[in-house]
Amino acid sequence: MQAPPPLWQSDKDLLVEARNLSFRYGHQETLSDIQLNIYRGDFLGIIGPNGSGKSTLLRLLLGLLTPEQGQVLLWGEPLAQFRQWSRIGYVPQKATAFNAAFPATVREVVAAGRLGRKGLFGRLNNADRAVIDQSLATVGMDTFADRLIGHLSGGQQQRVFIAQALAGEPEILFLDEPTVGVDAEQEEQFYSLLERLNSKSAMTIVIVSHDIGAVTERVNKLVCLNRRLFFHGEVSGFKARQSEILSLLYGHPVQMIRHGH
């Protein structure tokens, strides 16, 4: 069911490739025979029910889990041989679930995103500080740079952790359920930020979400996952067969309800 890449995409644009991935927790099969390509410039949404394997797939692509079968390639290299981790940014699920009393400023949190390029004990120079300032400005948090991270709202903290990922100057950004606990206004600002990063900064973005309505209105490609792939391709192709695909994905008819904010 996987759609071929558009004509403007070629093998040199292929950043991430999953070949026949399968994974299980204990005796419970979590993912089965997943084949997935992520190309430069994609804004890819991964949707599916709770427990469908979305976060597990992300962790497999990032090398945080080892597949039972199959292989992941990053920029054409087998994952075990890949060393250029600064090319990848990752905002994990519940990134904002930390001790609010932790005495770190917004700037210090974002500066930690340079460690992938500088090393754990590398000293920040003027060029690093310029990247940190630009990352804060990109997410609209530059005026909060000296504020303690624990004093921010959930939506503001989420933007800080995106800035932390951006400080590493990645080519692809992975986000796992980034809008959980974020109110409607902040969610709108958040998706607008991702659209700007994708369209103006040419950043490839992969977002895992349970919010089908919001995601399908923003991304240009979609993966529908429930242990196996039910769809992988352009959003226009999904929308043409939306009722059919969602019924297969959830195992029963699904009616989409859009909420205006």
Side-chain angles (χ1 to χ4, degrees):
M1 196 177 291
Q2 181 174 324
L7 292 177
W8 56 268
Q9 291 181 329
S10 64
D11 287 345
K12 69 179 180 181
D13 296 308
L14 182 56
L15 306 189
V16 182
E17 183 180 5
R19 296 178 178 175
N20 308 105
L21 286 187
S22 294
F23 184 83
R24 65 178 63 237
Y25 288 107
H27 298 293
Q28 179 67 44
E29 184 179 65
T30 308
L31 293 172
S32 176
D33 196 29
I34 303 298
Q35 301 193 65
L36 174 67
N37 291 344
I38 302 173
Y39 290 88
R40 190 182 313 279
D42 282 352
F43 188 176
L44 174 71
I46 302 176
I47 63 171
N50 289 335
S52 60
K54 302 186 298 296
S55 295
T56 299
L57 175 58
L58 220 59
R59 294 185 187 116
L60 287 167
L61 298 180
L62 292 165
L64 301 175
L65 294 173
T66 302
E68 180 182 354
Q69 294 180 350
Q71 184 182 32
V72 174
L73 288 86
L74 303 175
W75 282 267
E77 284 190 66
L79 195 146
Q81 299 170 19
F82 186 75
R83 295 292 180 269
Q84 302 176 64
W85 292 104
S86 61
R87 302 177 81 173
I88 296 174
Y90 175 44
V91 181
Q93 192 173 138
K94 300 180 181 177
T96 58
F98 60 94
N99 184 354
F102 186 68
T105 66
V106 166
R107 187 185 301 278
E108 289 168 338
V109 171
V110 175
R114 293 298 290 173
L115 294 180
R117 289 185 175 272
K118 303 295 291 186
L120 186 60
F121 300 105
R123 295 176 64 87
L124 298 179
N125 56 32
N126 288 337
D128 295 315
R129 285 186 277 273
V131 172
I132 292 165
D133 289 342
Q134 180 58 50
S135 299
L136 282 165
T138 297
V139 302
M141 293 299 291
D142 44 328
T143 58
F144 295 81
D146 297 319
R147 191 170 299 188
L148 291 175
I149 184 72
H151 293 178
L152 303 181
S153 69
Q156 290 171 329
Q157 289 174 355
Q158 192 65 271
R159 280 190 278 163
V160 171
F161 283 105
I162 293 174
Q164 183 188 69
L166 295 180
E169 299 180 284
E171 295 177 42
I172 182 169
L173 179 62
F174 291 90
L175 304 107
D176 192 356
E177 295 283 7
T179 60
V180 171
V182 174
D183 66 33
E185 181 180 354
Q186 291 175 328
E187 181 178 302
E188 176 65 26
Q189 294 172 355
F190 172 78
Y191 278 113
S192 295
L193 166 63
L194 295 187
E195 285 182 321
R196 291 198 305 274
L197 289 172
N198 180 247
S199 61
K200 294 184 179 179
S201 301
M203 183 173 293
T204 304
I205 295 175
V206 180
I207 179 170
V208 165
S209 179
H210 66 282
D211 191 341
I212 300 173
V215 167
T216 54
E217 292 304 312
R218 299 290 190 162
V219 302
N220 56 36
K221 287 188 179 177
L222 197 66
V223 163
C224 297
L225 178 71
N226 192 354
R227 301 190 182 181
R228 62 186 181 89
L229 287 186
F230 287 87
F231 179 82
H232 175 207
E234 304 286 335
V235 170
S236 57
F238 166 79
K239 289 183 175 181
R241 302 172 48 224
Q242 179 171 296
S243 296
E244 171 198 350
I245 293 169
L246 291 180
S247 294
L248 291 170
L249 185 64
Y250 286 87
H252 56 78
V254 175
Q255 182 178 4
M256 292 284 289
I257 300 174
R258 302 195 184 279
H259 299 277
H261 299 299

